[in-house]
Amino acid sequence: TAAGALYDTGNYEGALEKALQLADYPRLRAEQAQKRAAGELMGIGVSSYIEICGLAQKGFLPVGLYESARVRIEQSGTVMVYTGASPHGQGEETSFAQIVAEEFGIPVENVLVIHGDTDSTPEGRGTYGSRTLALGGSAVFNAVQRLKEKMKQIAAHMLEASVSDVTLEDGKFSVAGTPQKAVAFAQVAATANLSNTLPPGIEPGLETTAFFEPEGCLFPFGTHVCVVEIDKETGEPKLTRFVAVDDCGRQINPLLVQGQLHGGIAQGVGQALWEQVVYDENGQLLTSTFMDYAMPIAEEFPPFELDHTVTLTPLNPLGVKGVGEAGTIGSTPAVAAAVADALGVAHVDMPFTAEKLWKIIHQQ
């Protein structure tokens, strides 16, 4: 870009078209025309965004912004994942375990993720900037690949086969073309940790630490469509529809993605419609507790209509981008555009309180 950023991948028009189709944009405009003819205020807002996330590229700061993971496979076959990243509600304990389980072909219940304990976890650079899965998850993935290759060597020794002929599928190491000749994941784990007859050059144990530092930032994107109706008598705005199509690359766990978007959209809408810090004429803070501060609550929202496109990034082995902040980025301008559209004005300062909108309506 002219500002110097290098976008990784994007299909921006595809997300826009999908959002407009999901919202049935022509029908919304027809409905708006009918309501305006009846003297009602309805507005439609569309917001397309591109977000920069995964801050960690080499040379960005004097220190490395990598993430790390240490993976150890116990003799029982249980996989221990120690991550330098720090999930605190986003759900990476689940997505990290899914990455490991999928790569090894074992039940996700056999993977234990440890984080936040600096006495046991490797060095990390923090959870911020929608980077935890893209960096921390990639470190986990790379560590798993190293252990997978070591396990293939041990399995080849056990099966008396060439390493190049050994494959791992459904939790079993087998010889290509002879699937009945196989050893289970847990058997190889036990051999690695207990046997004294490992092949030459192979150390006992299954443990490795990997660090991941990408070559550039990631750029998730999407389009949000919002419909707002405003009561002429009171100025009260009401959110009646919210459609969002977001692209965060590959989705390891779609349910977690939806959860992040639900929370982000609620925060973004809250900023636009209700939330503000208010002082009286003496400088006394009037919104000092949640009894006074107007936070959004569930009943003020319609069901969110969510969909996605998938545009992989080449900057990490998982093809993932961040999603933790996406909902907050697309939602606020979509609501702002809808309110301005309903009132027939170019701009209104946030938050769009009933008092503010009532004054605009009656000034007109």
Side-chain angles (χ1 to χ4, degrees), residues 227-303:
V227 180
V228 170
E229 295 183 6
I230 301 175
D231 189 321
K232 276 188 172 182
E233 299 300 320
T234 65
E236 189 72 32
K238 182 180 180 181
L239 193 70
T240 59
R241 280 193 75 188
F242 201 98
V243 174
V245 174
D246 299 275
D247 194 316
C248 59
R250 178 190 175 198
Q251 295 188 11
I252 303 296
N253 187 308
L255 185 61
L256 291 178
V257 171
Q258 289 186 18
Q260 292 288 283
L261 289 170
H262 275 237
I265 291 170
Q267 284 188 308
V269 173
Q271 178 188 0
L273 293 183
W274 303 292
E275 297 185 49
Q276 61 178 329
V277 175
V278 180
Y279 295 88
D280 66 13
E281 63 275 9
N282 298 315
Q284 177 65 42
L285 180 62
L286 301 179
T287 52
S288 57
T289 74
F290 288 148
M291 291 294 291
D292 307 305
Y293 186 84
M295 287 182 64
I297 57 178
E299 68 176 10
E300 294 167 326
F301 294 95

Side-chain angles (χ1 to χ4, degrees), residues 5-320:
L6 179 63
Y7 289 170
D8 53 350
T9 55
N11 179 21
Y12 315 118
E13 187 175 355
L16 172 61
E17 290 178 350
K18 194 167 190 177
L20 295 179
Q21 182 179 14
L22 184 60
D24 196 352
Y25 188 74
R27 186 191 64 78
L28 285 180
R29 286 300 181 192
E31 180 184 351
Q32 182 186 45
Q34 292 176 352
K35 287 184 178 291
R36 284 181 173 175
E40 300 176 28
L41 298 178
M42 169 183 167
I44 305 165
V46 179
S47 167
S48 290
Y49 72 91
I50 302 173
E51 175 198 357
I52 182 171
C53 71
L55 296 176
Q57 70 270 26
K58 295 178 182 178
F60 183 72
L61 288 178
V63 296
L65 296 178
Y66 55 79
E67 276 305 330
S68 60
R70 182 167 73 251
V71 179
R72 184 175 73 243
I73 304 174
E74 307 286 3
Q75 63 190 51
S76 64
T78 299
V79 183
M80 306 293 293
V81 178
Y82 300 85
T83 173
S86 181
H88 45 267
Q90 309 95 315
E92 280 89 5
E93 306 98 317
T94 301
S95 55
F96 285 5
Q98 285 183 256
I99 292 168
V100 174
E102 181 179 334
E103 289 301 309
F104 283 142
I106 61 175
V108 71
E109 294 81 9
N110 291 3
V111 183
L112 182 62
V113 177
I114 309 297
H115 65 90
D117 180 359
T118 55
D119 188 45
S120 62
T121 58
E123 181 77 11
R125 286 293 183 254
T127 299
Y128 57 89
S130 299
R131 59 180 246 139
T132 306
L133 180 61
L135 276 71
S138 294
V140 170
F141 179 86
N142 287 345
V144 167
Q145 301 314 305
R146 294 179 190 173
L147 293 181
K148 188 189 295 186
E149 289 306 310
K150 182 175 181 178
M151 293 184 81
K152 282 185 178 181
Q153 295 181 54
I154 297 172
H157 182 70
M158 296 170 67
L159 295 169
E160 298 181 343
S162 171
V163 175
S164 60
D165 292 333
V166 174
T167 61
L168 172 59
E169 189 173 349
D170 297 328
K172 292 182 178 180
F173 292 89
S174 61
V175 179
T178 316
Q180 67 275 14
K181 191 176 182 181
V183 287
F185 179 88
Q187 289 178 274
V188 178
T191 299
N193 283 284
L194 299 174
S195 175
N196 63 356
T197 59
L198 293 173
I202 299 295
E203 295 180 349
L206 289 170
E207 181 172 344
T208 189
T209 300
F211 292 81
F212 183 78
E213 186 177 33
E215 296 296 330
C217 291
L218 307 171
F219 291 86
F221 58 93
T223 294
H224 291 194
V225 181
C226 172
V227 180
V228 170
E229 295 183 6
I230 301 175
D231 189 321
K232 276 188 172 182
E233 299 300 320
T234 65
E236 189 72 32
K238 182 180 180 181
L239 193 70
T240 59
R241 280 193 75 188
F242 201 98
V243 174
V245 174
D246 299 275
D247 194 316
C248 59
R250 178 190 175 198
Q251 295 188 11
I252 303 296
N253 187 308
L255 185 61
L256 291 178
V257 171
Q258 289 186 18
Q260 292 288 283
L261 289 170
H262 275 237
I265 291 170
Q267 284 188 308
V269 173
Q271 178 188 0
L273 293 183
W274 303 292
E275 297 185 49
Q276 61 178 329
V277 175
V278 180
Y279 295 88
D280 66 13
E281 63 275 9
N282 298 315
Q284 177 65 42
L285 180 62
L286 301 179
T287 52
S288 57
T289 74
F290 288 148
M291 291 294 291
D292 307 305
Y293 186 84
M295 287 182 64
I297 57 178
E299 68 176 10
E300 294 167 326
F301 294 95
F304 297 145
E305 301 169 57
L306 305 183
D307 209 332
H308 60 275
T309 57
V310 177
T311 307
L312 303 180
T313 178
L315 296 182
N316 64 67
L318 298 172
V320 300

